[in-house]
Each structure stands twice: as C-alpha cells, then as structure tokens.
Amino acid sequence: MTTQVIVLNGGSSSGKSGIVRCLQEVLPEPWLAFGVDSLIEAMPGAGTGIEFAADGGVSVGEEFMTLEAAWATGIAAMVHAGARVIVDDVFLGGAATQERWRKVLDGLDVLWVGVRCEAAVAAGREIVRGDRVRGMAERQAEPVHRGVDYDLEVDTTHTEALECARAIARSVINGRWSAVSGSR
Amino acid sequence: MTTQVIVLNGGSSSGKSGIVRCLQEVLPEPWLAFGVDSLIEAMPGAGTGIEFAADGGVSVGEEFMTLEAAWATGIAAMVHAGARVIVDDVFLGGAATQERWRKVLDGLDVLWVGVRCEAAVAAGREIVRGDRVRGMAERQAEPVHRGVDYDLEVDTTHTEALECARAIARSVINGRWSAVSGSR
Amino acid sequence: MTTQVIVLNGGSSSGKSGIVRCLQEVLPEPWLAFGVDSLIEAMPGAGTGIEFAADGGVSVGEEFMTLEAAWATGIAAMVHAGARVIVDDVFLGGAATQERWRKVLDGLDVLWVGVRCEAAVAAGREIVRGDRVRGMAERQAEPVHRGVDYDLEVDTTHTEALECARAIARSVINGRWSAVSGSR
Amino acid sequence: MTTQVIVLNGGSSSGKSGIVRCLQEVLPEPWLAFGVDSLIEAMPGAGTGIEFAADGGVSVGEEFMTLEAAWATGIAAMVHAGARVIVDDVFLGGAATQERWRKVLDGLDVLWVGVRCEAAVAAGREIVRGDRVRGMAERQAEPVHRGVDYDLEVDTTHTEALECARAIARSVINGRWSAVSGSR
C-alpha cells in the first residue's frame, strides 16, 4: 500500500507548517497541504465558532465543529479522487479528534505523525513568530498528543524541520511499516 | 431551493476576493471560501504545473489539471456534507471550465456569478496590488467570460465590492430565480 | 525647486497605500515610501503607546508621540541625505499634525496631498480589506483633513488609485505651483 | 554609557528577524527595528538596484547604495533624536560594510552583534521559510562575517532565537563591556 494522506498533529508553534513546506519539497510527487489554519482562513472573519482567549486557551463551538466536519469530508474526497494530501491539525480533543479523522479517512492509507516540541521551546518560538496569541504553545504541547497513536513521531525541539520532514518522507516512500518498526 | 454554492468567475484583479470577503460578512450564515489562489497555496512552492509568464500569460499543465480536478471534487463533497461554499475561480478555458465545474457540482444548487471589470481598470488595480505578474488582468478580462452562463453579473469598474456583494447576497437569500429575472 | 517629499494624508482605508505603490511605479525616479503603518511595524508587538478601540477609535500616548517624533526626524534626515521620500500618514490631530511635520521637514520642498474618500465608501473598503478594526475608516474620514492645507487633493471615491497617482506625479514633475494653480 | 543602537549582522535565514522580535519583547524599553528587508520594502517594486540571481547571488548597484546610504543616515538621525534602534543587516561587503555603518553611527553607542548559523542549517531553514531565493543562506553564511568586529556573537544553529535575544539583552542592560569580556 502507498501512503495517501499524511496527518501531522502537534500543538501550536510546534513547527508543523515548516515541516509541511519541507515535506512538499522533499517528497517526489506533488502533495496538497491543508490544515486547521487554512480552514480558519476559509471561514468568515477570524473564524466561525472558534475563540482565542487572551491566556492562549482555544474553544470551539458547534458551528466550528460542523464546518470542520464538512471540510474534513471534502479533504477525504480529494484523496479518493486521486490527490495526495498532507493535513496539519491540532488535536484539541486528543484521541477523540484522531477517532473523528479515522472515520473520515476510512479506507485510505494514512500515515499518522506526531509533531512534538518541548513546551518551553514552543513558547519561545511563539514569541519569535509574533503573530499568535501567547500561551497557546505551552497549553497545547502535551494535551494534543494524549491517547493518540502514531506511525511516526518527530520532535522539533532539537531537530530541524527539514530533517523531520526527511524522516517522514522516508516512511512515506518505504511504506508505513518501516516507520512503525523504525520508531519502536 | 437554497443556494449551496456560489461560483464567482472573473479575471485576475477583477475584484473577486474583495467581493468574497464582503459576501462572508453580509450573508447571514457562515460560508467557507475557496478559490484558485488557495489551491495554488496548497500546492508545493509556487504551484504545480502552472506557469506565469512575464507577459501575464498563464499556462496550466496536466499535473495542475489533475490536482485541480481532485480539489474541485473535494469542494463538492464539502457542500454535500453540509457546508455552504463560495468558490472564486478564473475560467481560463471559458465555457469549457464552466462545464467541468457543472459536472463536479452536479445535483447542487449553484449560483453562477460573473465578475467583470474593464480591462484598463483591472490593469490599474494590478499595479495597486503590487503582488501579481503584470499583464494578467488585461489578458484575462474578456476571455474568461467567453461562452459562460451566469445567474448574475456584477461589474466592479464603477461599483464597490461591498455593493456587488450585497447584490449577490440578495440573489442568494431570495433565490436564484430572482437573480435571473433581475438580471434579464 | 524640485519636490523632495510627498506627504499623503487621509483617513484609514482612504486608499493611501495603493496610491503610494502607483506613485512609486509612475514616478521616473526611485522614491522611498514610509508611513505610519511601517512605523507601527517597526515598533514592538502591535505598536507602542497606540491603542485601537473596538469602535475604531485610535488613541496615541506619549510613548508613541516620542518615537514618532524621532522617526519623523529620521525621515527628514534621509531626504536631506538625498533620498526622495513619500510619507503616508493619518493626521489624527488635523492641522496640529501638519504643523509638526512642517517643522520637521523645514527647508525641504514638500508636496502636501490630501487623500479623500467618502466615509461610507471608505467603510465599505475597510470590510473588503478585512484586516482593520471596523469603524476607523468612518471615524477618520473627515477629522484628519480639518484645517490642513494641501497643494493637491485627490478623491478615491470615484477615481482609481492609479489615476490619483498620475495627478500627483504630474504635480511632482511640473512643480508644486502647477499643482496649486491646477487645483484652485 | 548606554547602548543606543544594536546592529545585528548575519546571512540570509540565519535567524536575525526572529531575534529582533524577541529583543523587542525582552528589552525593558521600546526599541524600533529596521533592517535591509524593511528598506527593500520601502523601495519601488522588488527593490531598486538590487538583483537576486536564481542561484542565490545578490548584487547591488549604485542606485541601491545611494538610497541605502541616505536611509542609514536617517536611522542614525532617529537615534540622535532619542529613539533606540535595532538594525538588522546582511554585510554583503563584510568589513567594508561595517566601516560604512561605523561612519554613519559615529558618536552613538553601538552594540555590534554577529548572528551566525551553520550554512547547512541556514539552507534548511531557507526551505522552511519558502519565501526566499534558494542558495542565499548558504552563500552568505560565511562571507558576511569576514573581518567584522563584534561585541557579541550568537549562533542560532543550536540555540533558540529567544535565548540569543536574552544574551544580547543582558549585554545591553549590563553595558557593552560585559558583553565583550563575556564573549572573550
């Protein structure tokens, strides 16, 4: 089997989008990249039914969940129609979020990738970016991985995005099982 | 019937994205917005299989068409899954492009909107934006509308984006037929 | 005498930065462009000593005024050192703001340009942009021009940015007096 | 004496602007930040008299040098007028570029900071950014430091931007001499 979807999960400022850009560069075929950021950008204003508290807390309401579910269905349909897709998401619900993606992506070959970054380092990078509500990085660093199963995990704390992307690309090219055995 | 998809077609710098932002603002329900720009952004680098010549010419190859077709299928699936979607596109192939969208959106209630802008004015706005290859606006202004059927046409040459959006929103709220009768 | 500085004054969303980009394009010599937006960008975070209220009100404190004064002095020095500079500003203090600029730019040949836009139209364009606090455009449209003397005024309500820029460029090329006589 | 200007010099993608944002955050007083990127942005189009070759080479002509000199004079004037300023630059001419800055900043208390990053790592980050001509990072990594004297050097290869900024801030707060003795 051949990987059709790469799902990256990690907290805010863990380095997902940098890895995505590198993945698109190093993978031999063209992959489309979508993520929670591009979903929010597609929504009216600053996002529908999502609120960013001053302390970095993020809460999503029913309206957001409904649009997100329809969007995820669309992503799955793109893959069924032949596109290779990289999704980067923040599993605010941990295992429950993964379960929702599993259902949507049912029948597709998915590579699940955890993107970790030490909370303190992610918080520092949040300052470097300068365009995020402070506190998100630290708050999300651990909970988003709770109970989530991965084929592969990368950690950007001490590893460059390009190197992480190369590890993921090897798993894609060599198949998911190499990733699993390599990471255990 | 209720409009589920709004498709805006117009040349580069005709004012589509401004209208989209206003539409999202004035429409009572949340609408997701996708377009050829967000598709290109989802592709590796500066787009896969698409080339922007120095004179403003745009040529798309097979790779682009394949990814675009899968993406369009995904958009349709989002709508079938319950999302309202605004698509803004540049029908480089005129009527043929519309025909492709028609097939993909089959069974959905679509409002087709032509966004016109006098070539010279669009060319001026291309300079104002400062982030587009010069010449696209003028080259695309006419051909993208060739043979295309609309429910509604707006012209940004002398009408503000917000006003255009309000006209489109009225058609959405009152139903497609009002638009048709209103514009004929 | 030859114009060394062009100062554009107008409310938020009146179209100043579009005119600036066009001016840089149509003027035969290279002109540097600076403005209140680039000053705020040079400050820490979202600006020092400046507050944007939810209703579109903008209040600037002493810290902002101090940095702004030093910055304006620097702009003047660039011009004395030989650079041609376009400044775009929002004269929150109307005539008093112009007086401060007059002192800073003393000894230089300045073309004062008022950029007007009907409040309702500017408010619509604020929605189109989607990146500004709502209400600024309408609140600033009139007061920023109170008591200010111009060599030339342009109005973007019904005139494209490029056309406005061409009118300004003609004044620069033909000399300030042509502008004055042309506009009176 | 108190540091009035911090000059950061380093190759493209060495991490200067991240350090600048952090410096503005951690320094107790407000500092304005200007750099070669903001200068180019102030120029017409994609910069006047500067060319970016496809292989990452950058060549600057007389027109660029003239505008840059006037701009640097303006920066110095801002500092003389009371603003604290962080400048980030790429010393394409190495020691000769520093000499030009020395003359312009004569009489001011300057902290000279070298921002280093291993060429291969900088090249990787260039891919991560995705908005720079490839090859600049690698080409500039070494030459920009040739013959340049620093009060302090930081290396982003294995150190986070925030940590680098804190080291620089300590030198600013404790005085330049602590930096010199600390780094030797």
Side-chain angles (χ1 to χ4, degrees), chain B residues 12 14 26 54 56 95 112 120 136 141 153 167 179:
Chain B
S12 184
S14 63
V26 300
W112 300 94
M136 286 208 294
E153 292 186 49

Side-chain angles (χ1 to χ4, degrees), chain A residues 2-174:
Chain A
T2 308
T3 302
Q4 297 166 291
V5 188
I6 303 170
V7 178
L8 303 182
N9 172 45
S12 182
S13 292
S14 63
K16 296 181 301 295
S17 42
I19 294 176
V20 169
R21 270 194 296 276
C22 290
L23 268 174
Q24 290 188 301
E25 178 85 12
V26 300
L27 285 166
E29 306 287 342
W31 287 69
L32 296 179
F34 299 98
V36 65
D37 281 359
S38 69
L39 169 60
I40 291 174
E41 219 173 289
M43 292 175 165
T48 300
I50 183 165
E51 271 171 39
F52 299 91
D55 65 353
V58 179
S59 58
V60 297
E62 207 181 320
E63 257 190 330
F64 184 91
M65 303 284 279
T66 304
L67 289 172
E68 191 191 30
W71 170 78
T73 301
I75 300 292
M78 287 182 206
V79 182
H80 282 291
R84 294 167 190 85
V85 173
I86 306 168
V87 171
D88 77 277
D89 196 9
V90 181
F91 288 5
L92 289 176
T97 308
Q98 184 175 37
E99 193 48 36
R100 281 205 304 277
W101 273 112
R102 266 196 216 288
K103 279 183 188 149
V104 167
L105 301 175
D106 189 42
L108 297 169
D109 192 27
V110 183
L111 185 81
W112 300 93
V113 181
V115 180
R116 293 186 177 270
C117 181
E118 279 176 20
V121 170
R125 292 179 188 166
E126 192 171 66
I127 294 174
V128 176
R129 300 172 74 167
D131 64 347
R132 301 287 146 151
V133 177
R134 296 292 164 78
M136 286 208 295
E138 190 158 1
R139 271 168 165 272
Q140 298 176 355
E142 288 307 318
V144 300
H145 296 291
R146 229 166 261 157
V148 179
D149 287 325
Y150 296 116
D151 296 309
L152 184 72
E153 292 185 49
V154 295
D155 190 323
T156 67
T157 313
H158 302 294
T159 312
E160 296 289 309
L162 182 55
E163 211 175 310
C164 295
R166 283 188 178 133
I168 299 168
R170 276 193 298 272
S171 298
V172 170
I173 294 162
N174 301 333

Side-chain angles (χ1 to χ4, degrees), chain B residues 24-157:
Chain B
Q24 290 188 300
E25 178 85 12
V26 300
L27 285 165
E29 306 286 342
W31 287 69
L32 295 179
F34 299 98
V36 66
D37 281 359
S38 68
L39 169 61
I40 290 174
E41 218 173 289
M43 292 175 164
T48 300
I50 182 164
E51 271 170 41
F52 299 91
D55 65 353
V58 179
S59 59
V60 298
E62 205 181 322
E63 257 190 330
F64 183 90
M65 303 285 278
T66 304
L67 288 172
E68 191 192 29
W71 169 79
T73 301
I75 299 293
M78 286 183 207
V79 182
H80 281 291
R84 293 168 189 85
V85 173
I86 306 167
V87 172
D88 76 276
D89 197 8
V90 181
F91 288 5
L92 290 175
T97 308
Q98 184 175 37
E99 193 48 36
R100 281 206 304 278
W101 274 111
R102 266 196 217 286
K103 279 182 188 150
V104 167
L105 300 175
D106 187 42
L108 297 169
D109 191 27
V110 183
L111 185 82
W112 300 94
V113 181
V115 180
R116 293 187 177 268
C117 181
E118 278 176 21
V121 169
R125 292 178 188 169
E126 192 171 65
I127 295 174
V128 176
R129 298 174 73 167
D131 64 347
R132 303 285 146 151
V133 178
R134 296 291 163 77
M136 286 208 294
E138 189 157 2
R139 273 170 164 272
Q140 298 176 356
E142 287 309 318
V144 300
H145 297 290
R146 228 165 262 156
V148 180
D149 287 325
Y150 297 115
D151 298 307
L152 185 71
E153 292 186 49
V154 294
D155 190 323
T156 67
T157 312

Side-chain angles (χ1 to χ4, degrees), chain B residues 17-19 21-22 25 120-121 123-125 127-130 134 156-158 160-162 166, chain C residues 17-19 21-22 25 120-121 123-125 127-130 134 156-158 160-162 166:
Chain B
S17 42
I19 294 177
R21 269 195 297 277
C22 290
E25 178 85 12
V121 169
R125 292 178 188 169
I127 295 174
V128 176
R129 298 174 73 167
R134 296 291 163 77
T156 67
T157 312
H158 301 294
E160 295 288 309
L162 181 56
R166 284 191 178 132
Chain C
S17 42
I19 293 176
R21 269 194 297 276
C22 291
E25 179 83 13
V121 169
R125 291 178 188 168
I127 295 175
V128 176
R129 299 173 73 167
R134 297 291 164 77
T156 68
T157 312
H158 301 294
E160 295 289 308
L162 181 56
R166 284 190 179 132

